[in-house]
């Protein structure tokens, strides 16, 4: 998981303790380290313009958008969807 550097000192520690998922920070002025993050933000901006308060949306609406994005084929995944690739990876760990 990656966070931007702004206001995350306490958040990332708490997140790691609660989820047992490591948090990594990209180096400043290193956009190549943020490719997936920047692409996801670009996709989200199609639905939520910068500055929109997403707390005004219902969780069901956010879940539907997440599902829509996870079912969208990606060139980087050989035109599989993130959901398909995730399912394959999880199945291979059984």
């Amino acid at each position: 998981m990656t966070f931007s550097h702004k206001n995350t000192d306490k958040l990332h520690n708490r997140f790691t303790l609660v989820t047992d998922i490591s948090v990594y920070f990209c180096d400043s002025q290193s956009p190549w380290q943020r490719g997936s993050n920047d692409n996801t933000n670009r996709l989200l901006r199609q639905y939520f313009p910068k500055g929109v308060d997403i707390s005004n949306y219902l969780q069901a609406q956010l879940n539907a958008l997440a599902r829509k994005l996870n079912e969208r084929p990606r060139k980087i995944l050989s035109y599989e969807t993130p959901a398909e690739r995730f399912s394959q990876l999880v199945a291979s760990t059984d």
Side-chain angles (χ1 to χ4, degrees):
M1 164 126 341
T2 60
F3 282 92
S4 65
H5 288 279
K6 192 190 318 182
N7 300 322
T8 57
D9 291 338
K10 294 178 186 173
L11 285 177
H12 84 273
N13 286 329
R14 195 165 101 202
F15 177 85
T16 298
L17 286 172
V18 170
T19 63
D20 197 31
I21 295 174
S22 298
V23 175
Y24 300 92
F25 291 92
C26 299
D27 295 318
S28 296
Q29 306 301 316
S30 302
W32 60 90
Q33 295 176 355
R34 297 176 32 96
S36 178
N37 179 269
D38 286 345
N39 184 53
T40 301
N41 285 343
R42 182 183 56 77
L43 293 173
L44 288 170
R45 292 284 175 242
Q46 295 175 7
Y47 301 92
F48 307 117
K50 197 168 191 166
V52 167
D53 183 358
I54 65 169
S55 69
N56 295 321
Y57 290 83
L58 299 173
Q59 186 62 51
Q61 293 172 301
L62 299 174
N63 291 348
L65 176 57
R67 187 172 34 262
K68 186 174 187 174
L69 292 177
N70 283 327
E71 293 172 351
R72 182 178 177 156
R74 306 285 171 86
K75 182 178 179 181
I76 193 73
L77 300 175
S78 300
Y79 296 99
E80 291 181 334
T81 68
E84 290 168 335
R85 184 62 62 93
F86 180 76
S87 292
Q88 290 171 9
L89 293 170
V90 170
S92 70
T93 62
D94 288 344

